[in-house]
Amino acid sequence: MTLRPVLVNIKAVDDAAVGRFWGEALGWSVSSNAPGETNVGRVGFDWRDPVGVRVDVVAVPEPKTAVKNRVHLDLATTSAAHQADLVARLRSLGATPADVGQGDVPWTVLADPEGNEFCVLEPREVYRDTGPIAAVVVDCADPRAMARFWDEAVDWTLHEVTDDHAVFRSAEGVGPYLEFLRTPGAKTVPDRVHLDLLRYPRDDQEAEVTRLRALGATDLDVGQGDVPWKCLADPEGHEFCLLARS
């Protein structure tokens, strides 16, 4: 039994507008399967049998607070010129500069039109083949503890773990990395960005939920009501959903 990260879920008041932004930012197609949900992914992406991840923007009534998200996307670039051009293009699409205390760094921190922070990285060899999303980055207090939980929870490969960070990537070695970074402060508000996981067809949904709870996950009530998916939180409180296969 194991799970795969398949979707990066971003909450927004205007899902269509934020979805269009991310479609333009990533160079991916934009569609909608239901009101209040905008899907952003590569042409031909199948979330039931994914290679990499898709971005889903889901409508919520509450705007983002001033608190920095503890999950964000890092975008990859191939050269200094590419980085500069991408930053300029993103700003023309509605991104704004963001100060999260980064200081003088070679990457650029921006926020999407509803304030969700993300980074445009300087060229890094490790991200040369990830596609537009270099990494999904999670702030945490204890990367080693996060590595233990997520290594058991999902089938992605743990590439590196230290006191400061833990790094995963899909078992196929494609798509973005999943990184846990030691970051000061504690989680205080629900995140507007989280991962959605999917079980393999042969596995049982309730058995997977039970397994996750045994690893340290807790049930989460975000007002979802009676839905076919399960909302959970990892041992540091990062929300994630276990999707139902349809």
Side-chain angles (χ1 to χ4, degrees):
M1 296 189 296
T2 191
L3 303 165
R4 292 176 291 177
V6 293
L7 306 177
V8 178
N9 186 300
I10 300 176
K11 295 180 175 65
V13 174
D14 188 341
D15 65 285
V18 174
R20 287 192 299 272
F21 169 85
W22 282 105
E24 292 286 345
L26 302 173
W28 289 354
S29 64
V30 177
S31 61
S32 180
N33 295 322
E37 179 180 321
T38 301
N39 317 119
V40 182
R42 301 183 317 277
V43 174
F45 180 89
D46 182 356
W47 69 273
R48 296 173 187 83
D49 187 23
V51 176
V53 297
R54 185 179 79 184
V55 172
D56 274 11
V57 185
V58 177
V60 294
E62 308 85 5
K64 183 181 182 296
T65 69
V67 177
K68 173 184 175 291
N69 286 337
R70 291 186 64 86
V71 181
H72 72 268
L73 299 181
D74 281 352
L75 304 189
T77 63
T78 57
S79 67
H82 181 204
Q83 182 186 15
D85 289 346
L86 181 56
V87 168
R89 185 168 68 84
L90 292 169
R91 294 193 64 175
S92 74
L93 293 171
T96 53
D99 185 351
V100 294
Q102 68 268 23
D104 185 16
V105 293
W107 59 89
T108 301
V109 183
L110 299 172
D112 74 13
E114 290 201 9
N116 297 299
E117 302 89 356
F118 65 96
C119 297
V120 180
L121 301 180
E122 76 284 4
R124 301 184 192 182
E125 180 64 17
V126 68
Y127 301 133
R128 70 187 183 282
D129 62 350
T130 60
I133 301 177
V136 181
V137 182
V138 182
D139 295 348
C140 67
D142 188 344
R144 291 189 184 276
M146 289 294 92
R148 288 192 295 272
F149 173 83
W150 286 95
D151 195 30
E152 293 289 338
V154 301
D155 72 347
W156 283 22
T157 301
L158 179 60
H159 284 263
E160 184 179 5
V161 58
T162 70
D163 289 343
D164 294 319
H165 66 269
V167 179
F168 292 83
R169 200 182 189 192
S170 72
E172 296 82 6
V174 296
Y177 288 81
L178 173 61
E179 301 178 356
F180 295 86
L181 299 185
R182 181 184 292 277
T183 307
K187 189 174 187 297
T188 57
V189 298
D191 253 319
R192 293 177 75 82
V193 183
H194 70 257
L195 283 175
D196 287 343
L197 311 181
L198 184 69
R199 63 180 170 86
Y200 283 84
R202 65 182 180 271
D203 292 333
D204 178 76
Q205 183 87 345
E206 285 306 313
E208 283 298 304
V209 172
T210 299
R211 186 177 68 86
L212 289 167
R213 289 181 183 133
L215 294 172
T218 53
D219 294 312
L220 187 66
D221 185 353
V222 293
Q224 67 269 23
D226 184 16
V227 293
W229 61 88
K230 188 67 177 179
C231 297
L232 299 163
D234 74 14
E236 286 201 12
H238 302 107
E239 301 91 346
F240 66 93
C241 293
L242 176 54
L243 301 178
R245 300 189 68 92
S246 57

